[in-house]
Amino acid sequence: MTASDVQSPDDIGSDQVNVTCTVNGKPAAFSVPPHRTLMDALRYQLGLTGTKTCCAEGECGACTVIIDGAGVNSCLMLAAEAEGRDIVTIEGLGAEKPRGICDLQESFLEAGAVQCGFCIPGQVMAAEYLLRTNPDPSVEEIREGMSGNLCRCAGYQRIVAAVQMTAQKRAIP
Amino acid sequence: MRYYRPVTTVEAVAALASEPQTSRILVGGTDLLVALRHKAVQPKLVVDIKGVQDLSAPITVDDEGITFGPTATMSDVVAHPVVREWFPALVEAAVVVGSVAIRNRASLIANSANGSPAADTSPPLVALSASVTIASVSGERTVPLREFFLASRSTLCGPGEMVISMRVPRPAPGSSSAFERMTRRRGVDLATCSVGAVVDGNGAMTVGLGAVGPTTLQGGPVAPVDLSSQDEMQRAIEALVATATPIADVRAGKPYRTAMIRVLTRRALLRAAGRRNDRGALPDVLGGSSSSTIQADPTIGRRSS
Ligand code: FES
Ligand code: FES
């Protein structure tokens, strides 16, 4: 909806916003107060808690999702802005796969990149976006592409290895 | 807080004018959401202009220059082949903003319109003679970007107004540009100081200076000098940074900033000059112009703006 649907003559905009969008390939509809971030709406209204909350100000990447094909921090976006958008969260990546996890997640496990695991959904989403835009990244390109994703366990070497491993797997037809 | 998504510029500026002091424009949100979270701003009305149908397209190229719309993101800027060829300094500045995920959202115009003296893309845009068009309920006006900044976080775009486009003229034949920035550490840090430099075909030099004054500053133009002469270069640099009034803050002391702005100016001038016969040759590490991927020099810092 546009906010003007509920506007009164002296009151532009609305203090409750109805949002319809696509989440992981399925239509979703929810109603949010304007200040709610997309991160919070995903977690607390849609129950998609794979998207993590950490800094909530764009510094750590734990909340990374892919919106209309672009990797973004869901903590830096109002849920109201999601109107009409196509959102992919970590839950959407492996949903169709037999083990429920995608090839990137398999590689993260194989490479031992998952330590406490908290940063991993965001790391995987950032890596997925990187590989979609650059299927054969160099180590430097991986490091730069994922530099917005922090890991407290500091498993960066293995995270980079997991991304490289996935790129190689995907290169084989 | 109320949320409003207008579909025309007229609706947008009318909404802003209805609550000039308590409304905020939302485009990329990478600054606003952080400010909201910290209650640094507490708007009653947020006007999301991404649904405005009659806004300028993100990037429009014509023979005389490039027009950016409010929804042009840093990633759009970095990936655009003509922007890369004409304005390498702007691309070098855009690619150090935040992380990939932030650049995918952060608006080029908003980076200047927020009026931070440390904004990464403002110095190159000032040096490149950018201008902005501001809309309000009483009409539109266009001003040079170097006159746009009044004080820290204060610009000619007043309450109830909105920057609707930015125009950067096509560089004169034989000219080029470069950007230099220093941060305390790589990543998520504001510039300690930064310089965008333009060197013309005949050697005339202009700079935009970041984080060494209350606003982004312009230096020059100064007349061509012999780039290999230490003395001549030193005099030119002194003239170019004469407007700088660096202060001490958590990032650096005044003497350090005073010294480093000269170092960065020299580096930016020499790189811009060296690039003049080699247009469009941004280093590979910034990503191929055909690719939409953003690949930055891993040795340069980054910061969300
Ligand atoms: S929670 Fe969004 S970047 Fe940290
Ligand atoms: S695995 Fe623990 S924070 Fe990254």
Side-chain angles (χ1 to χ4, degrees):
Chain A
M1 73 166 212
T2 60
S4 50
D5 295 349
V6 291
Q7 123 189 25
S8 74
D10 54 357
D11 192 20
I12 297 170
S14 47
D15 45 25
Q16 191 70 22
V17 186
N18 296 321
V19 179
T20 54
C21 56
T22 305
V23 180
N24 299 329
K26 298 192 196 77
F30 49 90
S31 176
V32 287
H35 63 264
R36 181 152 303 157
T37 61
L38 177 63
M39 174 180 76
D40 284 346
L42 289 171
R43 288 177 56 81
Y44 303 117
Q45 290 185 257
L46 301 182
L48 297 172
T49 52
T51 301
K52 299 303 176 202
T53 299
C54 183
C55 67
E57 52 186 55
E59 310 265 343
C60 75
C63 64
T64 307
V65 298
I66 296 178
I67 299 184
D68 293 341
V72 305
N73 298 317
S74 60
C75 69
L76 289 186
M77 184 168 161
L78 296 178
E81 295 178 75
E83 175 64 32
R85 310 221 167 235
D86 182 18
I87 302 166
V88 180
T89 70
I90 189 71
E91 288 88 350
L93 286 190
E96 316 277 271
K97 303 283 175 351
R99 292 180 64 199
I101 59 174
C102 69
D103 55 349
L104 255 169
Q105 290 165 301
E106 297 276 8
S107 302
F108 268 68
L109 290 173
E110 228 175 289
V114 182
Q115 296 299 309
C116 79
F118 185 82
C119 70
I120 300 299
Q123 302 278 5
V124 170
M125 294 310 292
E128 177 65 29
Y129 170 66
L130 172 72
L131 292 178
R132 284 187 192 180
T133 49
N134 182 1
D136 185 23
S138 67
V139 170
E140 282 313 328
E141 287 166 349
I142 295 172
R143 290 191 184 281
E144 171 54 33
M146 305 201 35
S147 65
N149 291 77
L150 304 184
C151 176
R152 258 317 277 281
C153 303
Y156 293 108
Q157 305 290 357
R158 290 173 180 202
I159 290 170
V160 171
V163 179
Q164 280 180 302
M165 205 184 283
T166 312
Q168 280 157 13
K169 282 192 219 161
R170 289 187 185 181
I172 302 161
Chain B
M1 184 174 108
R2 285 169 290 115
Y3 172 86
Y4 177 48
R5 187 165 43 231
V7 293
T8 66
T9 304
V10 169
E11 284 175 3
V13 293
L16 294 169
S18 73
E19 290 189 52
Q21 302 300 336
T22 50
S23 57
R24 293 290 292 226
I25 300 169
L26 170 61
V27 200
T30 51
D31 278 311
L32 182 61
L33 275 268
V34 176
L36 288 174
R37 179 170 169 76
H38 290 287
K39 300 196 165 33
V41 296
Q42 293 183 290
K44 294 211 177 101
L45 177 66
V46 166
V47 181
D48 179 357
I49 61 170
K50 289 189 293 294
V52 172
Q53 302 294 316
D54 57 348
L55 278 187
S56 295
I59 300 181
T60 315
V61 180
D62 60 60
D63 275 353
E64 272 93 59
I66 296 185
T67 301
F68 296 96
T71 56
T73 64
M74 297 298 177
S75 293
D76 293 338
V77 167
V78 172
H80 197 281
V82 183
V83 179
R84 298 174 65 87
E85 184 186 335
W86 288 0
F87 312 127
L90 176 59
V91 174
E92 288 173 332
V95 84
V96 295
V97 172
S99 59
V100 174
I102 286 175
R103 291 192 292 273
N104 282 344
R105 295 268 299 163
S107 153
L108 175 72
I109 284 185
N111 194 223
S112 283
N114 278 327
S116 164
D120 289 312
T121 53
S122 299
L125 287 166
V126 162
L128 289 161
S129 304
S131 58
V132 289
T133 298
I134 303 164
S136 70
V137 281
S138 41
E140 293 179 7
R141 64 195 199 279
T142 298
V143 296
L145 189 63
R146 65 173 181 280
E147 291 167 19
F148 176 73
F149 303 112
L150 301 177
S152 180
R153 302 254 162 209
S154 164
T155 70
L156 286 174
C157 182
E161 298 189 308
M162 166 166 117
V163 178
I164 52 168
S165 66
M166 177 183 279
R167 175 82 180 163
V168 190
R170 183 178 184 161
S175 77
S176 196
S177 62
F179 175 75
E180 289 283 342
R181 177 178 93 148
M182 86 174 285
T183 49
R184 288 169 300 176
R185 62 185 173 112
R186 179 172 174 250
V188 193
D189 197 1
L190 290 172
T192 302
C193 50
S194 64
V195 179
V198 174
V199 180
D200 276 349
N202 67 3
M205 303 183 282
T206 309
V207 295
L209 306 171
V212 286
T215 69
T216 304
L217 304 168
Q218 174 163 326
V222 301
V225 298
D226 175 2
L227 296 175
S228 61
S229 155
Q230 284 286 348
D231 280 358
E232 285 189 36
M233 269 300 268
Q234 200 51 48
R235 273 197 297 277
I237 291 167
E238 288 306 324
L240 287 168
V241 304
T243 47
T245 52
I247 55 162
D249 67 9
V250 292
R251 286 182 198 87
K254 184 175 168 178
Y256 187 60
R257 270 209 173 85
T258 305
M260 288 313 294
I261 193 68
R262 288 162 170 79
V263 173
L264 296 190
T265 300
R266 176 188 300 274
R267 286 182 193 159
L269 289 172
L270 290 176
R271 281 205 305 118
R275 198 177 251 170
R276 279 177 300 169
N277 300 319
D278 198 19
R279 282 277 216 78
L282 275 177
D284 266 0
V285 76
L286 283 175
S289 55
S290 58
S291 148
S292 63
T293 315
I294 304 106
Q295 301 145 15
D297 180 340
T299 62
I300 39 189
R302 61 187 183 82
R303 163 63 209 171
S304 63
S305 65

